Amino acid sequence: MTDRILIIDFGSQVTQLIARRVRESGVYCEIHPFNSLDASTLERYRPKAIILSGGPSSVMASEAPLAPQAVFEMGVPVLGICYGEQAMCAQLGGTVESSDHREFGRADLEITDDCVLFDGLWSIGSKQQVWMSHGDRVTGLPDGFRTVAVSKGAPFAAIANDERRCYGVQFHPEVVHTLDGAKLLRNFTHHVANCRGDWTMAAFRDQAIAKIKDQVGDGRVICGLSGGVDSSVAAVLLHEAIGDQLTCIFVDHGLLRLNEAEQVVDLFRDHYHIKLVHRDAVDLFLGKLAGETDPETKRKIIGGLFIDVFDEEAHKIGGADFLAQGTLYPDVIESVSFDGGPSVTIKSHHNVGGLPERMNMSLVEPLRELFKDEVRALGRELGLPDDMVGRHPFPGPGLAIRIPGQDITPERLEILRKADHIYLDEIRRAGLYDDIWQAFAVLLPVRTVGVMGDLRSYDYACALRAVTSTDGMTADSFPFEHDFLARTATRIINEVPGINRVTYDVTSKPPGTIEWE
Ligand code: XMP
């Protein structure tokens, strides 16, 4: 059985980063909320070690979140991070107090004693840069613990109990500002917990194939293909596992980029020989979108139609027992929310959220344990071409949300496709594609005056957008050289009839969003 680490989540903003670091060191792990576990679920999970995350609460509060006591009685190593250290201390008989010295940001850690967590990294007496974010702090250690590092605001900045194999750090080793943080976590997983570090994408691929075969048996599976990374990787993985029991359905809504529909058909039908239904629904979608300019209405129309068409095609091929989806781990992790109340909907992204309910089939979700970059690694392992695996995200409603404030017509789509294609071509030529999270053109609802040769032009303006981001939640505009922008603008204006002005969007998110609608 693969070694597994359990991460117990107390609601920190950066819990996912702990999982990322652990997996990067070749060890499988999962995140579970503190209140979802009891002794029997812990027993069944059979972790090699447990990590307690940080969190926004105070151990001093009356209803403070705690780890199930069984965590400390299973005999497996435990590492408490920030709030996790405080909870561990409180639960094992130590004391925690509020401090007037809040430590936030970079801090100096002074190593005061040997510790297996510091092996090969930090020696006694040295100072190390770590990242802190805490108000409360440990003030009295439980029996059997010793202090191994201190900082200005935390007299027990790192603590150890080698006999119990329990460790605590007040800082956050999972964030990059703790310079050796990933190595420290590796010391915990590999040297304290003795994990083998053999969780690779090759191993995952074999396990996933066995799991799919086991789940599906001789049943039939359908899978929606969008041309994006997740559904593509899911489809190829499923095809390896069950061959012709899989049929993919590709609904072409006419809102894709230049040549994208052909590429999907070429790759999956002609190259991989996957059974593929290609439904050209362009007229249907554009017909229903005619006259609509409101972003949310457009999303609803597209999402609803997509489900109808998909369902129709699935019936035509005689239905299936399973619906495959490219759901990823970040969508699965149940986050712990302390502030209650739903957050405001800025945009309704779940375009096809209703599909599983409507179709009443069991779900196959072979990527639900993976982060996005792991899906890319799996795609490479499966031999998918690099330009497919490294693709920027593309929204479900496609180009419909990149023609803001105006009717979506074939002519406008055509203009936008050409401009977008030139922009991405220039980005690739400049070798910048992989440095950018997402880049695209937007056709603006405004015409401007220009001179082309000796003639007056009165054409559309287009905006270029490119952002850097790690998860799409926040983003910065990409700092292109001026020459690049000038060159791209010239090409677009010369090569795309209908556009005579190009602007670059420098808005960050927040306060902007990545898409214009
Ligand atoms: P925003 O514009 O909200 O975008 O900053 C964040 C990320 O989400 C994508 N996006 C969507 N994806 N359906 C999708 O599947 C949508 O309706 C949708 N709207 C935005 C956007 O492209 C970016 O990657």
Side-chain angles (χ1 to χ4, degrees):
M1 183 173 157
T2 319
D3 293 334
R4 292 142 73 89
I5 300 273
L6 172 66
I7 298 167
I8 298 185
D9 183 22
F10 289 116
S12 157
Q13 301 284 330
V14 288
T15 303
Q16 285 201 20
L17 291 181
I18 306 175
R20 301 292 305 274
R21 298 289 101 83
V22 170
R23 289 185 179 194
E24 278 159 16
S25 74
V27 179
Y28 181 72
C29 62
E30 286 179 18
I31 301 173
H32 290 267
F34 72 92
N35 50 5
S36 69
L37 297 161
D38 57 23
S40 67
T41 43
L42 284 169
E43 214 36 71
R44 249 181 299 150
Y45 186 85
R46 295 184 45 204
K48 280 279 269 198
I50 296 174
I51 299 178
L52 309 177
S53 86
S57 312
S58 168
V59 189
M60 326 281 293
S62 56
E63 305 248 310
L66 295 174
Q69 203 61 29
V71 162
F72 306 105
E73 290 156 7
M74 297 172 73
V76 300
V78 180
L79 172 66
I81 295 176
C82 195
Y83 179 84
E85 181 198 39
Q86 296 162 11
M88 177 172 76
C89 282
Q91 291 186 255
L92 295 179
T95 50
V96 176
E97 284 174 17
S98 296
S99 147
D100 359 317
H101 185 96
R102 233 188 100 75
E103 257 189 320
F104 182 81
R106 287 187 177 79
D108 272 339
L109 182 79
E110 189 183 337
I111 309 303
T112 55
D113 205 348
D114 271 336
C115 177
V116 57
L117 297 182
F118 309 156
D119 276 358
L121 300 177
W122 299 342
S123 48
I124 299 177
S126 66
K127 288 223 164 128
Q128 305 297 335
Q129 181 190 305
V130 297
W131 196 78
M132 295 272 193
S133 172
H134 67 108
D136 291 2
R137 61 185 195 183
V138 174
T139 48
L141 291 182
D143 284 348
F145 279 79
R146 65 197 167 90
T147 306
V148 292
V150 299
S151 77
K152 216 165 172 192
F156 302 101
I159 59 174
N161 179 335
D162 298 308
E163 199 180 322
R164 280 188 92 140
R165 297 192 295 166
C166 285
Y167 299 86
V169 289
Q170 184 58 71
F171 55 91
H172 287 267
E174 68 276 29
V175 305
V176 288
H177 313 292
T178 297
L179 297 180
D180 287 321
K183 292 182 188 150
L184 183 145
L185 284 169
R186 193 174 193 284
N187 276 344
F188 178 70
T189 54
H190 287 60
H191 297 147
V192 179
N194 297 319
C195 292
R196 284 162 298 191
D198 56 1
W199 192 70
T200 60
M201 272 307 136
F204 179 86
R205 169 188 181 166
D206 294 344
Q207 286 161 12
I209 288 176
K211 218 157 131 187
I212 294 167
K213 284 186 171 155
D214 189 45
Q215 185 188 358
V216 170
D218 54 11
R220 284 159 49 101
V221 181
I222 51 173
C223 173
L225 265 188
S226 65
V229 182
D230 307 339
S231 65
S232 301
V233 173
V236 175
L237 182 68
L238 281 156
H239 187 244
E240 275 211 4
I242 55 168
D244 275 355
Q245 287 165 255
L246 170 74
T247 306
C248 289
I249 298 180
F250 167 47
V251 177
D252 181 356
H253 53 21
L255 304 163
L256 295 173
R257 289 165 291 191
L258 195 68
N259 303 332
E260 214 169 359
E262 292 79 3
Q263 283 163 6
V264 170
V265 177
D266 277 359
L267 184 65
F268 293 96
R269 188 186 281 160
D270 303 337
H271 179 78
Y272 278 105
H273 305 295
I274 295 178
K275 278 205 262 175
L276 174 70
V277 175
H278 173 200
R279 166 74 182 268
D280 178 345
V282 178
D283 292 343
L284 176 67
F285 277 80
L286 295 192
K288 294 273 190 223
L289 283 170
E292 279 306 337
T293 54
D294 177 68
E296 283 302 283
T297 312
K298 287 195 262 182
R299 281 189 169 82
K300 292 214 169 76
I301 292 175
I302 296 166
L305 270 184
F306 181 89
I307 293 175
D308 289 347
V309 175
F310 191 92
D311 200 15
E312 206 176 292
E313 292 301 325
H315 272 99
K316 278 194 208 158
I317 57 165
D321 309 291
F322 297 90
L323 175 68
Q325 300 215 124
T327 316
L328 303 194
Y329 196 45
D331 307 323
V332 174
I333 303 171
E334 242 182 283
S335 54
V336 188
S337 159
F338 289 94
D339 44 12
S343 48
V344 186
T345 303
I346 308 286
K347 299 177 187 183
S348 51
H349 281 200
H350 297 283
N351 339 290
V352 294
L355 203 51
E357 294 80 359
R358 158 92 166 257
M359 302 199 68
N360 193 22
M361 288 186 276
S362 309
L363 284 181
V364 190
E365 298 177 303
L367 311 180
R368 56 181 282 128
E369 287 157 0
L370 302 184
F371 288 107
K372 187 85 178 184
D373 52 346
E374 293 171 331
V375 172
R376 295 200 157 111
L378 177 62
R380 281 187 207 102
E381 184 66 39
L382 290 164
L384 274 158
D386 272 349
D387 60 344
M388 156 64 75
V389 168
R391 271 199 180 172
H392 290 170
F394 185 66
L399 301 183
I401 54 171
R402 294 180 181 168
I403 304 185
Q406 49 194 333
D407 205 3
I408 317 287
T409 61
E411 296 71 36
R412 289 189 179 127
L413 283 166
E414 183 73 17
I415 296 174
L416 176 58
R417 273 194 191 105
K418 286 186 180 151
D420 188 73
H421 187 71
I422 292 170
Y423 180 36
L424 286 172
D425 181 49
E426 285 297 328
I427 287 175
R428 286 206 174 87
R429 284 181 195 215
L432 297 173
Y433 190 85
D434 293 340
D435 299 338
I436 294 172
W437 162 267
Q438 206 170 359
F440 52 89
V442 180
L443 191 69
L444 301 183
V446 58
R447 284 171 184 248
T448 72
V449 174
V451 277
M452 293 281 267
D454 292 331
L455 297 177
R456 173 188 192 268
S457 66
Y458 187 56
D459 285 329
Y460 286 110
C462 125
L464 304 180
R465 180 91 166 121
V467 295
T468 54
S469 176
T470 46
D471 51 11
M473 303 294 284
T474 60
D476 284 309
S477 79
F478 187 80
F480 286 119
E481 300 283 333
H482 185 78
D483 281 356
F484 171 90
L485 290 171
R487 187 167 65 241
T488 306
T490 305
R491 261 195 78 189
I492 291 176
I493 293 165
N494 286 341
E495 295 175 34
V496 185
I499 292 181
N500 70 352
R501 192 174 295 266
V502 174
T503 64
Y504 184 57
D505 176 1
V506 294
T507 319
S508 61
K509 172 182 179 176
T513 54
I514 296 176
E515 304 286 348
W516 276 45
E517 285 199 327

